[in-house]
Amino acid sequence: MHIKTSLRLASALLALALPGAAIAAQGRLPPPLEEEVSDVAVMGAPGPHRLMLAGGFGSGGAQIRDGEDGKLLGTVSLGGLANIAYSPDQSRIYVAETIWTKGNRGTRQDMISVYDGRTLNLQEEISLPGRVFMVPRRTNFSISTDGARAYMYNFDPSASVNVVDLASGDVHVVDIPGCAHAMAWGRTGFAVICGDGSIGSVDTAKALELTRSAAFFDAENDPLFEEAAIDPQAGKGVFLSYTGIIHEVSLGDAEQLAAWPIQEAAGLELARPDDLQLAWRPGGGVVSAWHHASNLLFVLMHPGEHWTQKEKGTQLWVVDLTTREVVERVPLKTPVTSVEVSQDAEPLLYLITEDGGLEVLNALDRSEKTSVSNVGSVVPVTPMP
Amino acid sequence: MNWKLIDSASEKLSRGLAKGTSRRSLLAKVGGAASFAPFFPVLPVARAQDADVPLSNFARTAQTKDDTQCNYWRYCAIDGALCTCCGGGIHTCPPGTEASPTSWVGTCRNPEDGRSYLIAYRDCCGASMCQTDCHCDGTEREMPAYRPMADNEIIWCFGTKSMSYHCSTAALVGPV
C-alpha cells in the first residue's frame, strides 16, 4: 500500500474513533459541560393514582409511588409502627408515629408529623397523649372529609380515640370502652368496632359520646376484619366477617343496613365458623377494597378452614354490591396479602404479593398494567376524595 | 409503693379469674350440650377430648417436642419472633430484656393429653427485635383489636420500662 494512502486511511479511522479529535482538528470545540448545583426534587401535582406503601417492623419509610407505572417518587420517614394518611386534597401527608428519646428507651413521644404533600418537607409536629402500638391498621388513623380533624386510636391498654384539631393542634380524648379503631365519616364523625358485636359512632360536632348500634355480628365466633372498607363521604362502611358475611353499615347513625354472604353471591357453599369445613373464605392483611362510584368490592379469597383469616388470597373476587353478584373470580399467580383501589373514574387496583411485590391492574377490566418487585411487606394507602 | 407486690397480686387475681371464667364457660357449654344433645350430636366440647374426631387445622399438626417450630402446640395463637430461638425459653425472656406483666391469651390443645390449656403469650421487651427465622403467626381463635385480650398484633409491652418489642413467649396458665 502506498504510504500516503495508508496515512489518509489511518486519519479517517482516527476521526471515526475519536469524533472530538476530528472536531478539534476542524476548530469547532463545543463549550465544556456546566458545573452542577445540587438541589432537591419536588413531586408533581397530586392525582388519584398516587399510592403510598407503608410497612410495619423494619420496613423503612413510606414509599410514595405513581400508581400508573409504579415509579418511586419519594419517601416519608416513619417512626415505629406508624400510621399514614393523606389530607383529602393531598396537600399534606400525616404520619402518626411513636419514637423514644434514646431510640429503644427514654421518654416516649407520640405525635402526628405533618409533611407537605409535594416537597415532603416536615411542616409541624402535633403531640398526642398516646396512640395504639400495634401492626399498622388503616382503620386506626383517619382524616375527616374536610381535612380539619384527625382521629387516632389509642390503647394503653384502655381504649380511647384522640380527636385532633389539625389547625390548632388541640386534642380531645374520647373513651371507647370495649371498642377499637377510628374510622372517619363526614366532616365531624368517627366510628369504632366493638367487642360485643356492635358498631359505635361519635359526632364530634355534638357531645363527645359514643352511640352504639345493637349487636349485629358474632364477635366470638365470626368477628369482623378490622380493615374495613370505608367511604367517608357517604358515611358508609363495608365490613367483612371471617366467614365472608358482607355487612353494610351506616357509620353516622351506627346502623347495619344489610348483611349477606359473599359465597352466596358466587353461587358457592357458604363458609361456616367451623374448624373443619373447607370453603372459600376471605383472608390476608388488607382483605378488601371498595371502589365507591362503581360500588365494586374487591376481596382476597382462599380455600381454607375457619381461623385462617390471615391466609393470603389465591383469588380476587369482584363483588357488585348493587346486584349482590360476584362478577368475576380472578386467579392470582402469586398469593396476595393486601388489596387497595383508587377512587377515580379510571380506577387502579393495587395488589401486594406475599413475596413483597406490587401488581397494578385496571380495576374495571382487571387487565395488568405494571408490576414492581421488592416493595416489601407493606400496606397500600390511597388518597380519599 | 411496692408495685411488684401489686403486680404479683393482680396477676394472681387475673389468673384465678381467667381459670374460673374458663371453668364456668366449660360448665355452661357442658350444660348447653346436655340440653341440646339431641339436636346437635357433635359439639365442640365433646370433640375436645375425643381422639377419633378430626381436629382443627393447627391441632392436627401440633407437636410437643420442639418449641422452636411454629407447630409447637402452645403456639396456636402466637405472633412474632419465638423467644426459644433468641436465647430465651418457652416462658423465659432472653438476656437483657424484660418480661411484660401483660399478655394476650390463646386456648391450645396439647396432643399428648388431649386437654386444652389457657396459654399466656407474654412479650419480652426492651431490646431491638430478635433477628431470627423463627417467626410464627398462629391464628386459632385470634381476634381483632376490639377483642384485645385475644389480639396478637398489639405490642403487649404494657408495664415494662420500654415498649421496644423483642420476642414472644408462651407460658402455660392451666387447663380450661
Side-chain angles (χ1 to χ4, degrees), chain B residues 29-162:
Chain B
K29 282 179 185 170
V30 171
S35 312
F36 290 96
F39 306 106
F40 303 102
V42 184
L43 284 160
V45 171
R47 200 180 66 222
Q49 293 179 339
D50 185 347
D52 297 330
V53 176
L55 301 166
S56 72
N57 196 29
F58 184 91
R60 282 201 297 277
T61 57
Q63 49 84 22
T64 59
K65 307 296 181 204
D66 186 354
D67 60 12
T68 66
Q69 301 296 318
C70 290
N71 68 345
Y72 184 65
W73 70 279
R74 295 194 204 178
Y75 296 154
C76 72
I78 204 168
D79 186 6
L82 302 181
C83 293
T84 51
C85 297
C86 303
I90 190 70
H91 58 81
T92 305
C93 285
T97 64
E98 184 182 2
S100 173
T102 59
S103 74
W104 77 100
V105 294
T107 303
C108 304
R109 180 184 179 274
N110 180 353
E112 293 212 334
D113 66 9
R115 289 193 180 94
S116 290
Y117 289 84
L118 188 68
I119 306 297
Y121 299 106
R122 298 200 181 94
D123 285 342
C124 299
C125 313
S128 303
M129 189 165 173
C130 171
Q131 292 299 309
T132 173
D133 288 335
C134 304
H135 282 266
C136 304
D137 195 353
T139 56
E140 195 151 297
R141 304 200 77 81
E142 195 271 334
M143 292 275 170
Y146 53 84
R147 285 281 182 119
M149 300 313 288
D151 182 312
N152 66 15
E153 298 195 341
I154 293 167
I155 304 300
W156 282 96
C157 288
F158 303 109
T160 56
K161 287 196 288 288
S162 164

Side-chain angles (χ1 to χ4, degrees), chain A residues 57 81 100 104-106 108 132-135 137 140 153 155-157 178-181 193-197 217 219-221 223-226 242 274-276 305-310, chain B residues 29 42 44 47 53-58 60 78-79 102 126-129 137-149 151-158 161-165:
Chain A
F57 278 108
L81 299 176
W100 283 264
N104 70 326
R105 59 193 184 279
R108 176 175 170 164
V132 67
F133 202 55
M134 66 176 286
V135 173
R137 293 289 181 199
N140 287 339
Y153 171 49
F155 182 72
D156 62 359
C179 308
H181 312 301
I193 313 177
C194 303
D196 64 354
F217 69 93
E220 185 71 27
N221 297 301
L224 302 184
F225 284 94
E226 50 203 346
Y242 284 11
D274 178 342
D275 282 349
L276 308 172
E305 299 169 7
H306 198 41
W307 304 115
T308 54
Q309 65 273 14
K310 291 188 188 176
Chain B
K29 282 179 185 170
V42 184
R47 200 180 66 222
V53 176
L55 301 166
S56 72
N57 196 29
F58 184 91
R60 282 201 297 277
I78 204 168
D79 186 6
T102 59
S128 303
M129 189 165 173
D137 195 353
T139 56
E140 195 151 297
R141 304 200 77 81
E142 195 271 334
M143 292 275 170
Y146 53 84
R147 285 281 182 119
M149 300 313 288
D151 182 312
N152 66 15
E153 298 195 341
I154 293 167
I155 304 300
W156 282 96
C157 288
F158 303 109
K161 287 196 288 288
S162 164
M163 286 284 284
S164 182
Y165 172 80

